Amino acid sequence: MLRSVLAALTPPPRVVDWALAAGVAVAVGSGLASFTTGTRSGAWLFWLHAAVGLSLAALLAAKLWRVRRRVVDRAGWDAATPLSVLQAAVAVAAVATGLFWVLGGNVPLWGWTTLNLHVGLGLLLVPLVVVHLRARYHSPRRVDADRRAALKTGAVLVGGAVAWRASETADRLLGGADRRFTGSKPVGDLSAADTRGGDFPVTSWVADDPDPVDRDAWTLTVAGAVDAELALGVDDVDRAGNAAGGGDEAAGADASADSDEPADDETAGGGAATLDATLDCTSGWYTVQRWGGVRVGDLLDRAGVADDARFVRFVSVTGYRWSLPVAEAREALLATHVGGDELSHGHGAPARLVAPGRRGFQWVKWVERVEVRRRGDPAQWLVTLISGFD
């Protein structure tokens, strides 16, 4: 009885196969795009990713049930079968780790969270799907694209959306209500072993891991499309951080972990400021901290920004860099302190970018140059992948 019901609900084989390929493409694309989304306006990306991922689980189950006999019977294997089995295993693991994370689970592995593992498996799945399509390619048939097939496929997608909402409810019942819309959890849930210089993890994007910066030799340069370049020593920048990084009397109002609007408090005329902002790391954790330092807008005002300037690029001592539109950059902070304490090396000392609404990898550490530019910097995407490699 159950088998006949499932057969009646399952789309035709080729529809399942092509829906799986399309689902993987959408899931990977939305997942990568979500890495650059830190405000509620982009929450739909995470919702799409979750709903499609759960739909993939149903489609994958239908696919595996259909081919089970061919896999079990080794006599029917051909040269492409081992790769197909590997692809299926990776797909199952990718879906399982994503669901495990959503339901509040996390098993750190060699410094990776379960979310990191989920992302890695998703990226590995892309070339495996491409090679699998080349070996098992079957063109869609007109007979498969009928109304019944469309309704069945739509039902799977709707089921994925409903399952996602159910998983959200289950997450809350299991105590995961503090999870942000990005999927990130408070650092306390991650049992981070490395919290040097602060009560949140020390992480770096890819291979960025420089030696501690010599504070006495360090200089912050503001250059590019400006009227007058600035060269500030550590005392110039640190003085502002000390003025703004103190106790409650200097602090702005508390900021919600999901708020798009940071709370800040500026010391009039001196360039010093505090900013309550959420650092949301793509490793799957977030923390709300009070940052003290220099408002980037004050630095730009001192240097004088050209009328046709469009972007501000923040460059690390490692060569790592990220750019923000001028208007957004003005509201950002170059932090020298966090929680009233001087930044540690791991957290980006002498100065790091604090960019509310951006994900953690865009908060450039060990900043030594602020460059005002007339054009964007598409090469920054490549630099994020190779920075830190000798």
Side-chain angles (χ1 to χ4, degrees), residues 228-296:
E229 292 190 4
L230 303 178
L232 306 175
V234 67
D235 291 338
D236 300 321
V237 178
D238 208 29
R239 189 178 301 115
N242 278 316
D248 292 339
E249 68 275 10
D254 289 339
S256 166
D258 275 341
S259 174
D260 291 348
E261 298 297 331
D264 68 308
D265 174 70
E266 297 179 36
T267 302
T274 59
L275 187 66
D276 288 355
T278 302
L279 173 58
D280 191 334
C281 182
T282 52
S283 294
W285 58 265
Y286 76 85
T287 181
V288 181
Q289 296 286 338
R290 177 162 296 154
W291 307 86
V294 181
R295 186 171 171 270
V296 175

Side-chain angles (χ1 to χ4, degrees), residues 345-366:
H345 166 65
H347 287 321
R352 75 172 298 167
L353 175 65
V354 173
R358 297 280 181 162
R359 302 301 292 277
F361 77 95
Q362 297 165 308
W363 290 31
V364 181
K365 294 181 179 180
W366 311 294

